[in-house]
Amino acid sequence: MNEVSAREAEVLEAVAAHRSNAQIAGALHISVRTVESHVSSLLRKYGVTDRRELADLAGSRRGPGMSGLPAGRTTFVGRSTEATAVRTALGQSRLVTLLGPGGMGKTRLAAVVAAELGSAGAFVDLVPVRDGLVARAVATALGLTERPPQSLEQVLIEHLQQGRWLLVLDNCEHLVDEVAVLAERLLRTCPEVTILATSRERLGVPAEATVLLPPLDAATELFSDRARAVDPAFTAPADDLAEICARLDGMPLAIELAAARIGSLGADGLQAALDDRLRLLAGGRGVDARHRSLAAVIGWSYELLDDQERLLFRRLSIYVGGFDLDAASATSPELGRGEVADLLGRLTDKSLTVRRGSRWRLLETIREFAREQLTEGELGTAQDRWMRWAADTAAALENRLDSADWEQPYDEVAGDLRAALAATAAEPDPQAHRLARSLGHLGFARREFRESIGHYRAAAERAPDGVAAALDLRSAADATLAISDAETGVQLLLDAADRAVADGNVRATMLALAVIAANRYPTGSLYDLSRERSQELLQQAVDSARPGDSQVTALLATAKAWEHGGRRIGADPELAQEAVDAARRTGDPVLIAGALDALTVAAGNAGRLRDARSYAVERMRLAGPLPRHEPYAAAEIIDAFHVAPTTATAVGDLPAALAAVGAADDPVGDHPYISLPRMIRVEALTGQFDACVEHADALWDRWQGAGSPPIEWMASALSAAAMVHGLRDDGLFDVWQSRALEVGRCTDVEDAPWLAAPYTFARARVAVQLGAVEEATDIARRAFADFSERWWAPYARAAAAELAVVAALPEASDLLAATAPEAAENDWAAACLTRATARSTDDREALLSAADAFKDLGARFEWVSTLALVPDRAAEARAELAVLQVP
């Protein structure tokens, strides 16, 4: 069975508990589609046909375990002393490095010890890993992906801070500096993480313990065991075996290679051959004494191969991460597939290749030797064939992106795909361009977002012309917008426009997209982009466009709507409607959804919240069938899922908001900075106070643990949590309001337009509950000031009007009247206005009507607090309030 990832293990445990895919998605904060993919993978890995059989089989296999642990293909001989030393060292130090030259058995010993310990964690083979990708390799082994705006390393740390973990980092020698930096950070930030590394040299991290692997003390036992695997009748005098093993310096790999030849040579012939080879190397100044015996036996094993075996052996060295039969065949197109399979079998019998399932690999020491045997001409040919295989393989994987079985095959070859691309120059190259484009798409689908952007940039560098390069940069920009990095996205689009001078419509497309992004997703320097510069870009787009292209026309119309919206994140309503009409004529759901967002924002900014909600609902319908793995569509899908709960909350439709928060197909719904704020807001409004407090604590801890990144949109959720604390009168209201300001990166709420209304709403609602009438005048002033961000305005004004009634302010009736337009746009505000008016007239029936309205909305706290105002229902209400811990 193939190894089960940590994420798959979590899904497996839930399947064993007979949970549905929707329940699993909700519990793990992932999409139902992702759960379905994991279940399909598990069915395949366990070789079962249905979910019930998988659940039964999984009953005894719960828990994350050690992912990626290589299965022992042969018996484990000797090393008991060293295994004890490693276990002892791990008990005394959180970083242990197993040291020794290549071929000494470090990997096997590390795997055996890890299996014996039975710890949760991952075994990470770093051989195919390139510079800069160590953290990604560890994260992938643990089933983790990027969660922008968190870096992958932050995601990794956050995951490893939960529970106890053992990470085995195998073959670190070519990445020592990078491994050392990551190890030091993990040990510092994750107190329950232990690391076992294997390397030819120390990592050099403080408190690192080392265990040096000496020559194998059970060398003759290992030789006999491996020789009998070749010839069950093998026997040899103990002295002869001891002498052979001594000549091989007790190196396990050398012993295994030599033993593989025992059937054809016998002990005497083997000893004579080794004598000749060692004598040849004895005077070699370039051979390290520790490696001389291994070099001798590898070279000797190579010389004993026939011509075709040697040819394939050399060519296979081009693969850094292993290969299947198709990949092996790609190195030697003149050989038939059956012939390659036969040669692979012969190389495996001679211990020169290692087979694991349907894949093979050369152990790194052997691969290094084989690579050295390639002549200059052979190397060039091998690299060309490697590149062609990589481009074809990546394209084939792209074609499988709509299925559930592409991730594992991609992970198996990703190291070689990356290495093949890295081996090409940044110049026009059809094969390299094809590979880079496919890698960009695959990386995005695998949630390797930053790497995906890099691949698309690499594609642009290798594109055959400027227009093709512009399209690659547009894909890179789409990927940045999906991860909320509009600054980079706009720059990529401007670069794309510069490349596309040969095609006016492509240039117009890139410029229009840049104008849209700058206005729609302003972050950082985009806030400071001058109106003159933005208008200049729009005019350049208009001037570049050629008539007759409906998509360009729709994009230009959308850009005009955003540009003339009067401010950033603002759109002109008439121009937005024209943009929607133009987009509908294209029939492209992505363009339609984008234009509808301009119309949604225009309506929201004008206070027409129900219109905004209707546009958001249409966007969700459009987003449903769009492919999540396409950068072109992803930003619209993600934004649609963001706006759906926002607009549902804005109109007070709490059941719809609750459903949107738990939407199973949200592509980023598993991100804590996105999912948790959504849940916190709705939980506060629906009276799920315990859950709200728990999620707010988790969000705050994660935000601080990640270094307090700039994520202003979370601030309103913290004000919602503050409201819950205030209603409970537990002394934490001001603490959480201060936290909302901190996340909103401001010292006064008036400096944060996105926070002003929810912050004021929290103050008003708590003041009503506690009877804090002394605050009424100030709160009313703030609540009925102009909000540039209108989504929470109905809540703030309705609650402030009710406070004015409670405080008997002279202007209370005027404020009730002023709230009426807001109540027409928001069901919660309408119920609150009914309650406030009833309080002013002491109208029992109106109070009961308000209570029923809140109950229909699922607003449990508001329902019972309204009943508490009705004398004959007050006792019942107080009992419910006690359950909510509200005094």
Side-chain angles (χ1 to χ4, degrees), residues 7 11 14 19-36 662-665 669-670:
R7 176 63 86 188
V11 172
R19 298 184 185 276
S20 68
N21 284 355
Q23 289 172 324
I24 298 171
L28 299 181
H29 304 307
I30 58 179
S31 70
V32 167
R33 181 174 294 182
T34 300
V35 175
E36 291 170 348
D665 205 23
D670 60 340

Side-chain angles (χ1 to χ4, degrees), residues 156-239:
L156 176 61
I157 288 171
E158 187 174 279
H159 181 76
L160 292 175
Q161 286 172 337
Q162 316 299 317
R164 303 181 66 179
W165 302 91
L166 172 64
L167 300 179
V168 183
L169 306 181
D170 190 34
N171 295 296
C172 299
E173 47 275 349
H174 64 300
L175 297 164
V176 165
D177 292 341
E178 187 176 342
V179 172
V181 170
L182 178 64
E184 192 167 9
R185 185 172 184 192
L186 293 181
L187 293 173
R188 185 178 68 253
T189 57
C190 308
E192 296 296 322
V193 165
T194 299
I195 298 173
L196 173 59
T198 76
S199 181
R200 299 179 192 179
E201 60 178 290
R202 291 172 53 91
L203 300 185
V205 174
E208 174 186 17
T210 59
V211 176
L212 179 64
L213 242 59
L216 186 65
D217 57 3
T220 58
E221 183 182 347
L222 176 65
F223 189 99
S224 297
D225 181 85
R226 301 302 189 257
R228 291 192 189 99
V230 177
D231 178 8
F234 168 78
T235 59
D239 291 346

Side-chain angles (χ1 to χ4, degrees), residues 69-218:
L69 192 65
R73 65 191 187 281
T74 56
T75 55
F76 183 62
V77 177
R79 295 300 191 199
S80 59
T81 300
E82 291 81 3
T84 299
V86 173
R87 287 192 294 269
T88 300
L90 288 170
Q92 298 171 345
S93 175
R94 292 174 53 219
L95 173 61
V96 176
T97 303
L98 192 52
L99 294 172
M104 197 56 83
K106 301 184 296 296
T107 297
R108 186 69 187 279
L109 178 57
V112 167
V113 171
E116 289 176 350
L117 293 175
S119 302
F123 191 103
V124 188
D125 179 11
L126 295 179
V127 167
V129 176
R130 294 176 47 235
D131 290 345
L133 295 176
V134 172
R136 179 170 300 288
V138 177
T140 299
L142 289 167
L144 304 175
T145 56
E146 289 181 40
R147 290 179 171 182
Q150 285 179 299
S151 69
L152 184 62
E153 198 166 303
Q154 288 171 334
V155 173
L156 176 61
I157 288 171
E158 187 174 279
H159 181 76
L160 292 175
Q161 286 172 337
Q162 316 299 317
R164 303 181 66 179
W165 302 91
L166 172 64
L167 300 179
V168 183
L169 306 181
D170 190 34
N171 295 296
C172 299
E173 47 275 349
H174 64 300
L175 297 164
V176 165
D177 292 341
E178 187 176 342
V179 172
V181 170
L182 178 64
E184 192 167 9
R185 185 172 184 192
L186 293 181
L187 293 173
R188 185 178 68 253
T189 57
C190 308
E192 296 296 322
V193 165
T194 299
I195 298 173
L196 173 59
T198 76
S199 181
R200 299 179 192 179
E201 60 178 290
R202 291 172 53 91
L203 300 185
V205 174
E208 174 186 17
T210 59
V211 176
L212 179 64
L213 242 59
L216 186 65
D217 57 3

Side-chain angles (χ1 to χ4, degrees), residues 96 113 232 321 389 637 732 799:
V96 176
V113 171
W389 164 84
I637 299 170
L732 294 175

Side-chain angles (χ1 to χ4, degrees), residues 604-615:
N605 288 346
R608 295 185 291 106
L609 302 182
R610 295 197 187 278
D611 286 344
R613 173 64 182 159
S614 69
Y615 304 141

Side-chain angles (χ1 to χ4, degrees), residues 764-776 803 806-807 839:
R765 186 63 191 88
V766 170
V768 168
Q769 183 66 22
L770 301 184
V773 296
E774 68 280 359
E775 299 184 36
L803 177 60
V806 172
R839 294 180 80 153

Side-chain angles (χ1 to χ4, degrees), residues 643-654:
V643 173
T646 298
T647 54
T649 302
V651 298
D653 188 349
L654 302 186

